[in-house]
């Protein structure tokens, strides 16, 4: 089966990511966080895949309400940003 991706979802994810950058690194407007992601690309890719698998095994994401799915996305991005920040 294939999932449908709407432009609203894409824009919301972009907003969540940009908000996480601004929140975690306000003094440098996200530059050091982006640099940290850039320096640890392979590790962050692997961590993101493991987190995706954990979410998919634990939660029936297709049946979630919008607010709950947004909470999961914020948690997901927050964890990735925190791990990336801790590696720098």
């Amino acid at each position: 089966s294939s999932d449908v991706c709407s432009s609203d979802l894409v824009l919301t994810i972009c907003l969540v990511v940009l908000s996480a950058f601004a929140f975690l690194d306000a003094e440098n407007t996200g530059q050091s966080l982006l640099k940290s992601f850039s320096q640890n690309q392979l590790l962050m890719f692997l961590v993101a895949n493991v987190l995706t698998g954990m979410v998919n095994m634990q939660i029936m994401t297709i049946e979630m309400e919008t607010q709950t799915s947004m909470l999961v996305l914020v948690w997901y991005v927050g964890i990735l940003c925190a791990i990336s920040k801790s590696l720098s």
Side-chain angles (χ1 to χ4, degrees):
S1 77
S2 63
D3 294 335
V4 177
C5 183
S6 68
S7 61
D8 291 341
L9 178 62
V10 171
L11 291 175
T12 303
I13 291 171
C14 290
L15 178 64
V16 168
V17 169
L18 291 175
S19 298
F21 285 157
F23 177 74
L24 291 174
D25 200 19
E27 69 275 1
N28 294 326
T29 63
Q31 290 298 329
S32 67
L33 186 59
L34 288 173
K35 185 177 178 181
S36 176
F37 269 99
S38 179
Q39 291 174 346
N40 301 299
Q41 291 180 19
L42 179 60
L43 181 59
M44 295 311 300
F45 173 76
L46 294 173
V47 169
N49 278 334
V50 169
L51 281 176
T52 300
M54 289 172 51
V55 167
N56 288 336
M57 287 190 307
Q58 298 297 321
I59 302 171
M60 293 297 295
T61 54
I62 196 76
E63 298 172 0
M64 293 176 72
E65 294 182 14
T66 303
Q67 295 84 2
T68 309
S69 63
M70 293 309 298
L71 182 63
V72 170
L73 278 174
V74 169
W75 170 83
Y76 180 84
V77 170
I79 293 291
L80 288 176
C81 289
I83 290 171
S84 177
K85 197 70 165 145
S86 71
L87 292 172
S88 64

